[in-house]
Amino acid sequence: MSANKRLTELQDSYHAMIDSVEEFVVKEGKTLQQAFHAAEEKLGEKAQISKEKIQLASKELKDHLRLWGEVVEGVSEAYKDQIKFDLAYVNSSAWSKLQSIANASTAELLEFTNTLKNTAQDAVTENHKAAHQEHNLWGSEHALWLDEVAFWKKEHEQAITKLKDIEKVLEQQSSTLNQHVNAIQEHAKSDDKHEKIMKAAEQDPTSKVFEEADCKEVPVHQHERQLHAKTAEAHHALKTRHFKTMAMINMLYKETHKVD
């Protein structure tokens, strides 16, 4: 089975499960335990969804509610985005339903998730049939995880290419900074030359040579004024881009060098 088809089937069964659980919890007032049991029975009557897919969808939804329950006091938009990032099949509609189920009863949610947490490691397979069902369920999870890792590896390859492009851009920025330095230095030399001409004219007001030289510098100084304003604007733009780029690079470096 292709990765896309597997993901589509998981999406369908997950959305069907969350729709049913929300209906039983929010509209009929059932407890979460009752709602899951009723939802599994309801979906089991539909021939298009296999028992394996129902079990997987039920487990995924319980895991999501458990995650929510463990951080119920600190759920934020950032956590919402994290769930969407990790689980591509949880779309905006599913997120709203998950939120509706969780908010139906915070106290019950905490009790429900604590029960899941406490009994997760205590489940014992009582017969070979149950073990076989678990193996099939785990097999589906393993296949999903492998598909996800394969997708992440492709993203890593794309990221490496992007990093190489970023390196080229940084080299170009270094060249731009060198050009900016040259422009500042040339401007400074022009200023220094004009200063010497003005001082000479000031020291000997009777000199026609100095006077003529000083007059010639008037339009030159107007040009320098425009050039200085242009250089100042370029300097500000370079500073802004530099700070922004360095902040992002430093943030990425710290994130990739965290000690787990």
Side-chain angles (χ1 to χ4, degrees):
M1 182 184 298
S2 68
N4 289 336
K5 185 175 181 180
R6 186 182 297 111
L7 183 58
T8 299
E9 290 183 354
L10 179 57
Q11 288 175 333
D12 293 340
S13 55
Y14 182 90
H15 291 162
M17 176 61 67
I18 200 169
D19 286 344
S20 296
V21 172
E22 184 199 33
E23 179 180 357
F24 288 126
V25 170
V26 178
K27 297 181 180 179
E28 298 188 18
K30 293 183 181 293
T31 66
L32 287 171
Q33 292 283 10
Q34 292 171 339
F36 270 96
H37 181 71
E40 290 171 2
E41 286 188 344
K42 178 181 178 180
L43 295 181
E45 296 171 359
K46 297 182 178 181
Q48 62 267 33
I49 303 179
S50 67
K51 185 175 182 180
E52 176 187 330
K53 292 296 187 300
I54 294 173
Q55 290 177 337
L56 181 58
S58 179
K59 181 180 182 301
E60 287 292 313
L61 182 53
K62 287 177 181 177
D63 286 344
H64 297 170
L65 287 171
R66 175 180 170 182
L67 283 172
W68 195 312
E70 290 173 347
V71 293
V72 69
E73 294 180 354
V75 171
S76 64
E77 287 298 312
Y79 183 71
K80 171 182 175 180
D81 291 340
Q82 185 61 36
I83 284 184
K84 286 188 174 181
F85 179 80
D86 288 340
L87 307 164
Y89 53 86
V90 181
N91 57 22
S92 298
S93 174
W95 173 264
S96 297
K97 294 180 185 299
L98 182 63
Q99 188 177 30
S100 176
I101 294 168
N103 290 340
S105 175
T106 301
E108 186 195 352
L109 173 62
L110 291 174
E111 181 180 355
F112 179 76
T113 53
N114 283 332
T115 300
L116 289 176
K117 189 191 308 181
N118 294 333
T119 60
Q121 299 300 323
D122 297 333
V124 178
T125 303
E126 296 181 357
N127 52 56
H128 288 174
K129 180 180 178 181
H132 182 66
Q133 291 175 344
E134 280 192 329
H135 290 161
N136 289 337
L137 177 63
W138 296 342
S140 296
E141 288 186 312
H142 293 163
L144 174 64
W145 296 343
L146 290 173
D147 288 341
E148 287 184 329
V149 172
F151 179 72
W152 297 342
K153 289 175 69 176
K154 289 181 180 179
E155 287 193 318
H156 275 202
E157 293 174 0
Q158 294 172 355
I160 291 173
T161 300
K162 291 176 181 178
L163 288 173
K164 291 179 180 178
D165 289 340
I166 291 172
E167 186 176 3
K168 292 178 182 178
V169 172
L170 287 176
E171 291 175 353
Q172 292 173 356
Q173 289 183 4
S174 294
S175 177
T176 300
L177 292 177
N178 290 334
Q179 294 173 8
H180 186 55
V181 168
N182 292 335
I184 295 172
Q185 291 174 341
E186 288 299 319
H187 192 191
K189 289 180 182 179
S190 179
D191 291 346
D192 185 57
K193 178 182 177 182
H194 190 192
E195 277 294 314
K196 290 178 179 179
I197 292 174
M198 288 191 299
K199 287 180 180 179
E202 291 168 358
Q203 291 174 358
D204 189 359
T206 62
S207 173
K208 293 295 183 181
V209 174
F210 290 158
E211 182 181 358
E212 290 176 1
D214 189 31
C215 289
K216 290 181 180 179
E217 287 297 315
V218 173
V220 174
H221 186 71
Q222 293 295 333
H223 175 70
E224 287 178 342
R225 182 180 288 116
Q226 296 174 355
L227 181 61
H228 184 83
K230 184 178 180 180
T231 304
E233 184 178 348
H235 187 81
H236 177 75
L238 286 171
K239 179 189 290 187
T240 302
R241 185 175 187 182
H242 173 79
F243 285 168
K244 184 177 181 179
T245 302
M246 291 303 105
M248 291 180 175
I249 290 176
N250 290 334
M251 180 177 66
L252 179 60
Y253 181 84
K254 290 179 181 179
E255 182 65 28
T256 55
H257 286 74
K258 281 183 178 178
V259 178
D260 295 331

